[in-house]
Amino acid sequence: MKKFINDPHQYVEDYLKGILSAYGDLYSLSEENARALCLKNPVPGKVAIVTGGGSGHLPLFLGYVGDGLADACAVGNVFASPSCFAMVEAAKAVETGAGVLYLYGNYGGDRMNFDMAAEELADDGIEAAQVWCNDDVASASKENAENRRGVAGILFVYKCAGAAAKRMLPLREVTRIAQKANDNIRSMCVAMSACTLPEVGKPSFVIGEEEMEIGMGIHGEPGVERGKIATADEVAEILTSRILADMDYPAGSRVAVLVNLLGSTALEEGYIIYGKVADILREKGLEPVRVLVGEYSTSMEMAGLGLSIMKLDEELESLLADEAYSPFVKFDKNWG
């Protein structure tokens, strides 16, 4: 293991210290829980969006705490769910009377803890709704989509829900928009190497030198097939075809596209992939109108990438266009 760390068991505390040192004008930790990172000065009367998840995925999850995005994040250990207590305290730190939307990825530990957190908020008289993102088409069949994992497509859900909350829409509407955004996103990943968790000190799995795995999850969950490394165009064909086969994208549809790099894939390679993806989409009569290429949800130093495609309508496209900011991602009115 070669990493710039101190004590592997202090990994989360050490990087949180660095983030607060860099962005202390924007962020603080809850006085009640040091794993609840919150925006300072929450807006009175605005729905509070609270996310959470395991570390090792920056800028997901806490990197999307910002203006026009989420308001707080419960931080877990590497690849592990945050505690219910952190989720509750994150919400209480930023809730200002309009209720809370818990927005997170579809993983068992997160589901269980957010459920308990929502119940505890309700006991305290705080209304809490939940949307869990399940955009990974490789993780379950279309018929069992409720069991699919959440991967990088959640970025578009943060963007739409955050814009709706900033427009001061009520909790019911912010929740509806978040669910609608999620329902229109499909994603799939490919990986060529594993990553090493600091507390473990060795790769979490092994892929052969000349192999790649199609459909691998961001924690190293098995994909749908393993084979020889393909060309960038072939990988783009595989990912795009499987995503488009999973949902109806009528000719003329406008789409948002994300090519997400998992940690040690060069940005140039992401653009090579996107160039072919764009060709395929346009050949099918689809128009990419909002495009992101870069590291938006990583898996430590895993070599690989994911593709997310979001089908847009007038409402979703308008919400995506709103400006938003965090230290990790910036959306001006002309982004993408």
Side-chain angles (χ1 to χ4, degrees):
M1 178 172 69
K2 293 183 177 180
K3 294 181 183 292
F4 294 106
I5 61 175
N6 299 308
D7 179 351
H9 299 282
Q10 287 293 117
Y11 181 79
V12 176
E13 284 70 22
D14 284 353
Y15 86 74
L16 285 176
K17 176 184 176 182
I19 286 172
L20 289 170
S21 294
Y23 309 120
D25 58 334
L26 184 67
Y27 297 143
S28 64
L29 296 180
S30 164
E31 294 182 359
E32 303 299 325
N33 191 287
R35 291 291 188 89
L37 181 137
C38 313
L39 278 180
K40 292 182 173 179
N41 304 315
V43 178
K46 185 184 85 69
V47 169
I49 298 176
V50 178
T51 189
S55 297
H57 301 300
L58 276 174
L60 193 70
F61 294 88
L62 68 80
Y64 299 113
V65 174
D67 180 43
L69 298 164
D71 297 280
C73 177
V75 181
N77 289 333
V78 176
F79 293 4
S81 173
S83 70
C84 170
F85 185 45
M87 296 169 179
V88 170
E89 295 307 322
K92 288 183 175 180
V94 295
E95 197 276 329
T96 60
V100 173
L101 172 62
Y102 279 138
L103 180 55
Y104 55 94
N106 188 25
Y107 294 92
D110 296 304
R111 287 280 299 271
M112 179 182 69
N113 287 336
F114 273 111
D115 281 346
M116 291 190 295
E119 291 174 4
E120 186 165 335
L121 290 183
D123 290 342
D124 290 339
I126 299 173
E127 186 178 6
Q130 299 186 62
V131 172
W132 47 88
C133 300
N134 59 333
D135 51 309
D136 184 3
V137 301
S139 54
S141 67
K142 184 188 281 190
E143 293 71 28
N144 295 299
E146 70 277 3
N147 296 321
R148 287 176 169 174
R149 302 178 292 242
V151 289
I154 192 174
L155 164 60
F156 292 136
V157 187
Y158 288 136
K159 182 68 193 65
C160 291
K166 189 172 181 179
R167 293 180 185 185
M168 305 302 287
L169 297 183
L171 179 59
R172 181 179 61 184
E173 277 296 284
V174 175
T175 304
R176 177 190 68 79
I177 286 166
Q179 188 64 59
K180 177 181 177 180
N182 176 70
D183 291 345
N184 281 280
I185 300 166
R186 300 292 187 273
S187 303
M188 193 170 183
C189 300
V190 57
M192 294 188 288
S193 77
C195 60
T196 299
L197 278 63
E199 292 187 11
V200 177
K202 59 183 180 180
S204 51
F205 57 90
V206 176
I207 297 180
E209 285 294 320
E210 297 183 357
E211 291 183 319
M212 67 178 189
E213 185 146 358
I214 298 289
M216 179 168 282
I218 59 174
H219 305 105
E221 299 95 336
V224 294
E225 63 184 78
R226 183 176 291 196
K228 290 187 176 181
I229 294 175
T231 67
D233 282 359
E234 290 168 339
V235 169
E237 288 270 9
I238 292 168
L239 298 180
T240 308
S241 64
R242 296 196 182 190
I243 288 173
L244 295 183
D246 197 80
M247 185 168 68
D248 181 28
Y249 294 83
S253 295
R254 293 162 67 84
V255 296
V257 182
L258 167 63
V259 176
N260 176 61
L261 310 179
L262 289 174
S264 65
T265 300
L267 185 57
E268 291 90 342
E269 295 170 42
Y271 281 104
I272 292 171
I273 292 286
Y274 177 71
K276 182 62 175 178
V277 169
D279 288 344
I280 296 169
L281 293 177
R282 290 184 175 119
E283 286 169 5
K284 294 183 177 297
L286 308 180
E287 183 59 31
V289 294
R290 297 285 179 183
V291 178
L292 295 171
V293 179
E295 291 185 354
Y296 294 92
S297 171
T298 61
S299 183
M300 301 297 288
E301 76 280 15
M302 185 183 289
L305 54 84
L307 174 65
S308 300
I309 301 176
M310 180 184 191
K311 183 167 66 173
L312 301 176
D313 63 9
E314 185 175 346
E315 180 180 47
L316 293 176
E317 190 168 344
S318 171
L319 292 161
L320 285 183
D322 283 6
E323 295 186 1
Y325 166 84
S326 89
F328 300 85
V329 60
K330 302 173 182 64
F331 299 92
D332 63 25
K333 62 183 179 180
N334 297 314
W335 74 269

